[in-house]
Amino acid sequence: MTTYDELVAAATVGIAQRPLSVTRLPQPAGEHSTVFDADPAMCLLDAVALLDAAQRAGRLFATPIPRPAPAPSDGVPELPPLASLIVADLLRTGPAELLADLLSAAAHAGFRAPPALLPTLLSAAATNSALRDGVAATLGERGRWLAAHQPEWLRVVDSGVVPVADDAWETGRFAERRSWLAQLRRRDPDAARGLLAEGWMRETGEDRAELITVLADRLSAADESFLEAALDDRMAEVRRRAARLLQLLPGSAYQARARVRAAEVLHRERRGVRRRLVVTLPDELDESARRDGLHVRPHTPRTGVKTWLLMQIVAAAPLELWTEILGAAPRDIVALPIADGFAPDVHAAWRRAAVRQRNAEWARALLDMSEHGPSDAELAAVLPHTERQARVVALLQRSAEAVRLPAEVQSCPPPWAPQLAEAVLAYLERELRGGRSVPTGALLATVARALPTDHAAPLCRLAEEAPLTTGWLRALRRTADIIELRRRFHEELQ
Amino acid sequence: MPARWSVDQVLALAPDAASAAAARKVAAAVVWMGAGCVSGLVWGRYVGSGTLRYETVVEPGVPAYGCSCPSRKFPCKHALGLLLLWSSGDVPDADEPADYAVAWQQARAERAAATAARPRGERDEEAAARRAARRRERVTVGLAELELWLCDQVRSGLSGVSGTYWHAEPAAARMVDAQAPGVAATLRRLSAVPASGEGWPQRLLAGYARVHLLARAHTQLDTLPPDLAATVRNYVGYSVSREAVLAEPAVRDQWLVVSVRDIADAAIPARRTYLRGDKTGRWALVLAFDPQGQFGGDLDAAFEAGTALDAELHYYPGRPPLRVAVGARHGEPVAGPPPQPRRRLSELFDEWATVLALDPWLPEWPTVLCGVPVPCEPRWRFADETGASVPLQTGGIDPWILAAVSGGAPVTAAGEWSADGFRPSTVWHRETAVPL
């Protein structure tokens, strides 16, 4: 009996060196051994041809393997076909923000993404954080099942509600542990903190820095001693994050220390009827200030040391401090003159504090005051949705600050109130008729994303008016096309 | 009026990628005036910048295009743009065609009549037979030389070519001269085997043996059954004219498009479309070639998985019959049902053994399977209801789409089966075909 392996071995070395006479072949090839050529080389090729055919036709692949656990069934309906097509197109071409809007709308309307799009959606969301929430919201059971197969996909799910195993805290991957802890925190804040404290020193520095942020949810006075202790952590990032949380904790010892420091650097001076604020800077930071996360050296080399100190100290204090000690409303406080040219620094510090402490009253006062300064989308984001839009409408109607407008409009995420839509259209019309250059792509992208779909007709009329020689026609048409796309998408969700 | 096409169908007609992109740009309702469609005609006046105006007419059923623009691309972007607009339902139905559309259609009909009336050159059958005999002689001599070369390889030992990737190139060049292009292509593929990693001697030897088998079969062409002889001629590389195939009897059926696969890394990029007859249950393969890999304007490349077409197909000679030329088409493609899959891999193994017995060189065979894709290391597998599984070939596809559609439950997937495993191209999500 000559086996296939023997034939291969002989041919590899060469039958000139290792002669081989083919005798019988294994069945079923053996039935045809009458056809062999007399020449040994030809005979070898004949035999291999027979064995090759037999092996290809008879090779057994049927290895039994365990099948994976199937995905739970999902009662949520899939996106209708046209809406799915739009999502698939936007996944290829962008813009991601528009896609994120549509996905969120789809989730809100009670739909989930069709399975065939899930791998692309998960991969896109893994690399583009703008898509993360929208994708996480439309995954459905199937998407969460699929995401469990790849670590980077699992991180996407993490921003939504990821079903994690009961023993995830002891045995899970980091994302699963963090997710598990966040869910426990929501149910039982004290238990979550207790568990975190228990194994705290066994975690790596990086994991500690990540895990401590879980406490931002349901933050309370009960967390104070744990966070105070974290101010002495070995890892700088842990100390910084602990300080941030303590700043937000009303009545904490940290806040008391921050108040004392802030009240010392900034106070009111009265000269007759004139009032102004005066800055007195400390020469150096004491041990307690350094422990609270203040630094002598500025992060950016261009900031002066004094300015840096001042801003840190003022920004760390609760904003209520100033209304209390100055006895005035935020609006009046920000209007006070500040000695020695420190006004920009103090205002910058208040802006930072207003953003961190989500203080709308201060944000409003600071925005009113800095109407002619640079736009501050972060600060505007502290204001309620409608108020933010009303401010932009007012700005658009005055139309004075053409430079600032795009940024202001972009700071208004959809949905837009009709007033804002009309004001933006009127602004575009003025610019077009005035022969100005085409608005920035970013502005038009925001319009395309946020203009209510029932305002598309005026935009199309405007496009018809646009001269062919400038870029207006194309820019407006493209914008109108995207709005039409959104209209169709929302129609599908009805 | 034929059913509106999908965007992909329209774009498949574009002569190149640039045209497709340009067509998308002009497919906006605002740049078209007086667009309309009725009785198989779509027309519109394109309004470009300044005074630019073109009259565009398309007859999608043929398809035929007319446009007054000077573009040398065919079809031009205006025709494609208009079709895109039509496919999205933005061309309104009209009562009667515009004047220029009527004029174009008449002119076309006259041209067609003139072409048909021209007498076709009488074919010199004697000369053709002489050419064929000469060709057969050259191939025979060439293959005899190749046998000597193959024997030399086996005598001197395959280990001599270890790690190289061009050793069979001279032999392949000789086969081109001998007018056996099919054998030449096979040898070129085999050239790369010695550099393909562990187990290469057996793969190379098996490849040689198949070439040897082909050469031996060619010496007996006249005594082989006619269908087997045709298969041998096909692998050697004798071409069969499309006209000759279309003269064969037609098989009319409702043909379901189950799998479309682009072979981009071949010498000439090809698109393989597998169809399955609803009534006959027969398989059919439509091949389209395009050196640029764009497949624009070729109806044979415009099939969409999941659609069904009432058509007459003509099988190329050979066994098992598979490749076809598409003859008369009756109507437009419609959405088709999911195909009936094989539920057990053992049925597939039986069929594979049967077709290999008919054609031992067969590289792959179309199949529709029902099973579960299993992402396991090092390679994915595809398991049937009994738990039996085969390797899943994932080159050129995203297997995660398959997994997502399956969700761990059995799905219907269509593709190609080969000795290396199952290579799916389409998966059905309930009634909808999803290309992979």
Side-chain angles (χ1 to χ4, degrees):
Chain A
M1 180 86 82
T2 312
T3 66
Y4 202 159
D5 286 345
E6 285 166 356
L7 291 167
V8 174
T12 307
V13 179
I15 53 170
Q17 276 192 45
R18 188 194 282 191
L20 175 90
S21 61
V22 180
T23 51
R24 254 172 342 107
L25 294 181
Q27 294 297 350
E31 285 172 31
H32 304 277
S33 35
T34 51
V35 300
F36 289 161
D37 199 281
D39 178 271
M42 292 278 247
C43 174
L44 185 143
L45 287 168
D46 285 336
V48 173
L50 284 168
L51 288 170
D52 168 60
Q55 195 187 59
R56 286 204 301 148
R59 195 154 146 197
L60 282 180
F61 276 117
T63 325
I65 47 159
R67 292 200 283 186
S73 67
D74 196 334
V76 178
E78 284 169 29
L79 272 180
L82 180 61
S84 299
L85 270 181
I86 292 176
V87 169
D89 271 355
L90 285 177
L91 263 174
R92 266 199 303 275
T93 61
E97 290 76 17
L98 177 63
L99 178 56
D101 288 349
L102 297 188
L103 288 172
S104 301
H108 192 73
F111 289 98
R112 64 186 165 102
L117 290 181
L118 288 171
T120 329
L121 282 169
L122 283 166
S123 295
T127 52
N128 187 344
S129 57
L131 285 172
R132 207 158 279 191
D133 290 344
V135 170
T138 44
L139 285 177
E141 291 292 353
R142 181 67 58 90
R144 287 189 283 274
W145 172 87
L146 188 69
H149 288 86
Q150 294 209 26
E152 62 267 33
W153 288 353
L154 206 57
R155 277 201 295 279
V156 177
V157 183
D158 202 20
S159 74
V161 187
V162 60
V164 285
D166 292 341
D167 61 350
W169 179 248
E170 284 86 26
T171 60
R173 286 185 287 241
F174 180 73
E176 293 168 326
R177 299 185 61 220
R178 190 183 184 287
S179 179
W180 189 92
L181 189 68
Q183 286 173 30
L184 178 63
R185 175 78 175 173
R186 217 161 297 151
R187 285 197 313 273
D188 187 348
D190 292 338
R193 187 194 53 254
L195 203 63
L196 189 59
E198 207 178 288
W200 186 243
M201 290 325 289
R202 288 195 298 275
E203 308 285 351
T204 67
E206 277 156 17
D207 286 359
R208 287 202 303 279
E210 271 296 308
L211 290 171
I212 202 170
T213 58
V214 168
L215 300 184
D217 186 28
R218 314 278 198 278
L219 186 68
S220 77
D223 300 316
E224 187 178 357
S225 58
F226 177 77
L227 292 171
E228 268 290 334
L231 287 177
D232 299 316
D233 198 277
R234 282 197 307 277
M235 183 89 175
E237 192 57 27
V238 176
R239 297 197 298 272
R240 203 179 68 82
R241 291 184 179 181
R244 280 292 174 81
L245 290 171
L246 285 167
Q247 281 171 19
L248 299 175
L249 203 54
S252 65
Y254 184 101
Q255 276 206 352
R257 297 194 294 273
R259 277 166 170 266
V260 171
R261 275 193 292 272
E264 274 170 8
V265 296
L266 191 61
H267 42 87
R268 184 165 42 181
E269 186 187 79
R270 195 178 296 191
R271 279 190 188 161
V273 289
R274 282 186 57 208
R275 289 160 179 209
R276 63 173 190 169
L277 294 176
V278 179
V279 171
T280 319
L281 282 169
D283 291 328
E284 58 178 16
L285 291 173
D286 59 18
E287 185 56 37
S288 132
R290 276 201 292 273
R291 180 171 176 271
D292 282 353
L294 306 187
H295 298 277
V296 189
R297 210 170 286 160
H299 282 317
T300 52
R302 277 172 52 210
T303 320
V305 174
K306 286 191 167 179
T307 307
W308 172 248
L309 269 179
L310 172 64
M311 283 174 62
Q312 282 186 101
I313 293 171
V314 174
L319 285 162
E320 294 79 31
L321 168 71
W322 311 109
T323 42
E324 283 165 25
I325 64 171
L326 300 175
R331 184 150 33 111
D332 302 319
I333 295 174
V334 301
L336 285 172
I338 301 175
D340 305 323
F342 278 117
D345 307 326
V346 172
H347 288 157
W350 280 337
R351 278 202 291 274
R352 197 175 294 168
V355 169
R356 281 192 205 151
Q357 299 168 28
R358 315 291 305 163
N359 189 316
E361 201 185 354
W362 275 86
R364 193 174 300 125
L366 288 160
L367 281 169
D368 283 342
M369 183 211 66
S370 66
E371 204 159 84
H372 301 282
S375 155
D376 194 333
E378 253 193 329
L379 199 56
V382 175
L383 297 178
H385 214 70
T386 47
E387 183 179 347
R388 203 187 315 173
Q389 295 198 2
R391 298 181 69 86
V392 179
V393 171
L395 259 172
L396 283 165
Q397 278 162 354
R398 281 202 299 283
S399 174
E401 295 92 327
V403 191
R404 277 183 55 187
L405 274 176
E408 292 286 350
V409 171
Q410 283 164 53
S411 77
C412 292
W416 280 4
Q419 291 85 341
L420 180 56
E422 277 149 28
V424 168
L425 286 169
Y427 163 76
L428 288 176
E429 189 176 335
R430 279 201 304 277
E431 293 282 296
L432 173 64
R433 297 229 171 109
R436 310 277 178 77
S437 56
V438 186
T440 62
L443 174 65
L444 287 175
T446 312
V447 173
R449 186 186 153 200
L451 193 78
T453 49
D454 49 4
H455 284 74
L459 193 74
C460 294
R461 274 202 295 281
L462 217 54
E464 278 163 29
E465 217 179 275
L468 296 161
T469 44
T470 65
W472 274 94
L473 179 70
R474 267 183 63 186
L476 289 179
R477 278 207 189 134
R478 196 178 309 148
T479 311
D481 282 350
I482 294 178
I483 295 172
E484 169 64 11
L485 194 83
R486 281 172 42 219
R487 190 190 62 72
R488 285 196 184 190
F489 190 86
H490 287 282
E491 209 173 77
E492 287 283 297
L493 299 185
Q494 294 305 309
Chain B
M1 194 72 203
R4 288 200 169 106
W5 294 1
S6 74
V7 170
D8 285 343
Q9 270 179 304
V10 174
L11 291 180
L13 299 172
D16 52 45
S19 290
R24 278 185 184 276
K25 288 202 185 110
V26 302
V30 277
V31 298
W32 292 95
M33 270 173 39
C37 56
V38 70
S39 58
L41 276 183
V42 185
W43 65 88
R45 191 171 271 135
Y46 174 78
V47 184
S49 53
T51 56
L52 212 57
R53 301 285 184 276
Y54 298 128
E55 286 159 356
T56 311
V57 189
V58 184
E59 199 172 340
V62 179
Y65 324 89
C67 182
S68 59
C69 79
S71 168
R72 258 174 279 172
K73 295 266 180 71
F74 190 78
C76 67
K77 65 175 178 179
H78 307 106
L80 290 171
L82 183 62
L83 276 178
L84 282 176
L85 199 64
W86 171 67
S87 74
S88 63
D90 289 336
V91 173
D93 289 325
D95 293 331
E96 56 183 50
D99 294 345
Y100 56 87
V102 176
W104 171 81
Q105 201 176 24
Q106 275 168 0
R108 211 177 84 76
E110 280 160 21
R111 269 201 311 277
T115 315
R118 213 176 297 149
R120 288 182 64 162
E122 289 271 311
R123 197 158 164 184
D124 189 344
E125 289 190 9
E126 210 176 307
R130 264 204 311 276
R131 273 201 305 278
R134 242 192 342 259
R135 164 109 188 246
R136 168 93 180 264
E137 184 56 32
R138 290 182 71 168
V139 174
T140 306
V141 172
L143 289 179
E145 278 179 37
L146 182 66
E147 286 273 59
L148 294 178
W149 183 83
L150 288 170
C151 288
D152 278 348
Q153 304 301 308
V154 173
R155 269 191 211 99
S156 57
L158 304 181
S159 54
V161 299
S162 171
T164 66
Y165 46 88
W166 58 272
H167 78 278
E169 187 56 37
R174 176 69 191 90
M175 286 305 104
V176 172
D177 289 344
Q179 292 188 303
V183 180
T186 307
L187 288 170
R188 292 213 163 100
R189 277 197 298 278
L190 288 177
S191 267
V193 171
S196 67
E198 205 181 325
W200 68 265
Q202 176 167 354
R203 287 195 291 279
L204 184 62
L205 185 62
Y208 284 165
R210 267 174 253 165
V211 173
H212 162 71
L213 184 64
L214 190 63
R216 260 192 87 167
H218 188 265
T219 61
Q220 304 163 28
L221 263 189
D222 298 329
T223 54
L224 292 177
D227 54 353
L228 181 57
T231 294
V232 170
R233 293 170 61 90
N234 176 34
Y235 283 118
V236 170
Y238 291 93
S239 51
V240 181
S241 83
R242 196 181 152 80
E243 287 70 35
V245 175
L246 287 172
E248 297 286 321
V251 180
R252 183 172 175 178
D253 202 338
Q254 183 78 2
W255 295 96
L256 180 66
V257 182
V258 298
S259 151
V260 180
R261 177 182 180 188
D262 283 356
I263 313 291
D265 54 356
I268 298 175
R271 178 169 292 176
R272 280 190 212 149
T273 305
Y274 288 108
L275 313 170
R276 200 158 78 171
D278 182 45
K279 286 190 289 286
T280 57
R282 292 181 71 164
W283 281 107
L285 166 66
V286 180
L287 279 177
F289 298 96
D290 181 1
Q292 265 77 51
Q294 307 279 358
F295 302 105
D298 185 348
L299 271 181
D300 281 352
F303 290 104
E304 260 188 285
T307 59
L309 178 72
D310 179 5
E312 295 177 24
L313 303 187
H314 305 261
Y315 280 87
Y316 279 72
R319 76 178 206 194
L322 184 61
R323 190 180 169 194
V324 293
V326 184
R329 295 165 185 251
H330 303 278
E332 297 293 317
V334 295
Q340 227 13 268
R342 291 196 179 285
R343 304 209 155 263
R344 289 179 182 226
L345 288 166
S346 55
E347 297 168 11
L348 169 68
F349 299 154
D350 291 346
E351 184 184 5
W352 175 238
T354 311
V355 289
L356 266 189
L358 292 172
D359 171 0
W361 300 278
L362 195 67
E364 67 264 315
W365 186 250
T367 190
V368 183
L369 296 174
C370 178
V372 183
V374 183
C376 49
E377 293 296 328
R379 274 225 306 242
W380 288 59
R381 298 188 73 85
F382 195 80
D384 73 3
E385 61 184 12
T386 67
S389 73
V390 291
L392 197 66
Q393 296 291 319
T394 55
I397 63 165
D398 182 354
W400 288 107
I401 296 180
L402 187 64
V405 171
S406 142
V411 277
T412 297
E416 290 166 321
W417 167 257
S418 73
D420 298 324
F422 176 45
R423 198 276 186 194
S425 303
T426 313
V427 60
W428 272 263
H429 176 49
R430 300 200 197 95
E431 301 292 302
T432 314
V434 178
L436 292 170

